[in-house]
Amino acid sequence: MAGHVPTNAHYSHSPIRSPSPSRPFKLFRVTHAILLFSHGSVLCGAGETLFELARRMEARGDATIVEAGFLNYSEPTFEEAFEKCVARGAQKITIAPYFLVAGYFVKVSLPPKIAAMSEKFPNVQVKVAEALKTHQFLADAIVNCANRALEPEKWRDILNTAPQFCRDNPQCPLNGTPQCPLRPSK
Amino acid sequence: MKTALLVMVHGSPRPESNGAMFDVVEMVKARGVFDFVIVGFMECNEPTIPEAAAQCVAAGAQKVVAVPYFLHSGSHVADDLPTLLEEARENYPDVQWLMGDYLGRDELVADVVAQRVREALV
């Protein structure tokens, strides 16, 4: 699998062969973390998509460590997630913007945050990946999403399950409605 | 049954930000899975989602599958888009309206993220 092939040019040009495909150059490789960076949402539970993605990518070995961090509203923050990667032993962190395209939040909001964390952890190597942009897999994903289409009575399932992720956020659209477990309507 | 795909997109004050999405939608069109494919925007750009819904009906669609081109299950996917689709359903009750999963729900997104990470490490 491509994910297990060392992508560093130094390794790929090395005459030394990996002892086994499952343990490629383990001794020489730095501990790599992927930090999924996302905007965040006022709706309670909205971050679950990203946590699930992080769990799945870590489980299948896209990197030793995969964490998620948010710019606004949702927790953990980008900084907290970065520190979590370091605490878990990351020597190299690739920040993967979980955005369709790199707009204001990726181009303007993110760089000073990275600079501050690099200053705090000068020994950690940081790379920034591109946003999702265009990919055949996204076209496949649209078709998959269409194949799982739901009847009208299920269109609000996500909203109806949001209260179970309640984090007492006054900006959540459910706050002050009968559905909010902590601050229901009076 | 004539089926339309309505890709529901957030929209951007910078229209050039929609370029990558339009490229992906062209890929979907090229597969010929749907009789009619159209993008509808929630904000900023046109056609709006209600306008795009009307165009699906005008194109003769008996069934419209609306897929949110969103990465998260935030307020738009959970609340705003269902509201727009309920309005379309009221306006065109003879058409079957279905709402697809939001893009970020699909497992293939992980493969795209992983590829972007690998590209950054080269």
Side-chain angles (χ1 to χ4, degrees):
Chain A
M1 241 181 81
H4 293 285
V5 176
T7 44
N8 185 310
H10 172 74
Y11 295 141
S12 59
H13 292 125
S14 165
I16 305 163
R17 288 278 175 267
S18 167
S20 86
S22 58
R23 296 177 57 235
F25 305 100
K26 207 139 201 175
L27 291 173
F28 310 118
R29 294 185 80 179
V30 298
T31 303
H32 181 214
I34 296 171
L35 201 176
L36 302 170
F37 169 68
S38 179
H39 184 270
S41 170
V42 290
L43 179 68
C44 292
E48 292 303 309
T49 313
L50 200 62
F51 298 138
E52 198 186 307
L53 181 65
R55 279 192 293 269
R56 189 146 28 91
M57 290 182 71
E58 189 173 294
R60 67 183 207 176
D62 285 323
T64 311
I65 301 160
V66 184
E67 293 286 346
F70 298 93
L71 178 67
N72 292 315
Y73 311 121
S74 306
E75 288 176 343
T77 62
F78 169 78
E79 290 81 0
E80 286 165 350
F82 194 104
E83 294 197 1
K84 206 168 167 191
C85 291
V86 175
R88 290 182 64 192
Q91 294 159 290
K92 179 165 81 176
I93 299 178
T94 304
I95 294 152
Y98 186 69
F99 285 82
L100 292 166
V101 290
Y104 182 86
F105 301 121
V106 176
K107 287 184 180 157
V108 180
S109 309
L110 181 58
K113 288 178 176 292
I114 295 173
M117 295 316 282
S118 291
E119 200 173 313
K120 198 167 176 184
F121 301 104
N123 296 325
V124 176
Q125 195 190 337
V126 178
K127 299 259 186 181
V128 186
E130 300 254 24
L132 299 186
K133 301 188 299 181
T134 305
H135 200 291
Q136 286 286 350
F137 286 168
L138 295 176
D140 293 331
I142 290 179
V143 176
N144 291 344
C145 288
N147 287 335
R148 292 193 297 264
L150 300 172
E151 299 286 343
E153 57 273 15
K154 294 189 173 170
W155 290 351
R156 288 176 186 278
D157 278 1
I158 293 170
L159 195 66
N160 294 334
T161 54
Q164 72 193 59
F165 303 103
C166 179
R167 53 196 160 89
D168 193 16
N169 175 10
Q171 290 172 296
C172 177
L174 294 179
N175 200 289
T177 72
Q179 284 166 287
C180 182
L182 273 185
R183 315 233 175 266
S185 56
K186 295 178 182 77
Chain B
M1 196 195 299
K2 219 173 172 187
T3 303
L5 171 72
L6 166 52
V7 183
M8 301 190 288
V9 180
H10 188 280
S12 169
R14 291 168 61 251
E16 62 272 24
S17 296
N18 293 318
M21 175 276 301
F22 278 123
D23 290 343
V24 172
V25 172
E26 284 304 316
M27 291 173 186
V28 176
K29 272 187 199 171
R31 297 182 189 196
V33 182
F34 304 96
D35 300 299
F36 184 69
V37 178
I38 190 167
V39 169
F41 293 97
M42 204 184 71
E43 294 172 5
C44 301
N45 310 115
E46 288 179 342
T48 64
I49 290 169
E51 285 164 357
Q55 286 186 45
C56 291
V57 177
Q62 294 146 294
K63 175 173 155 184
V64 179
V65 183
V67 171
Y69 202 71
F70 285 71
L71 289 174
H72 285 287
S73 57
S75 306
H76 298 320
V77 169
D79 200 4
D80 303 333
L81 298 180
T83 300
L84 289 169
L85 285 183
E86 279 154 11
E87 286 166 14
R89 206 174 149 231
E90 277 168 31
N91 291 335
Y92 308 102
D94 297 334
V95 175
Q96 186 189 0
W97 296 90
L98 297 176
M99 182 167 162
D101 255 345
Y102 60 98
L103 188 74
R105 188 82 164 260
D106 197 78
E107 296 203 351
L108 284 173
V109 171
D111 295 318
V112 183
V113 174
Q115 183 171 330
R116 298 293 174 243
V117 168
R118 284 196 298 274
E119 288 162 358
L121 296 176
V122 172

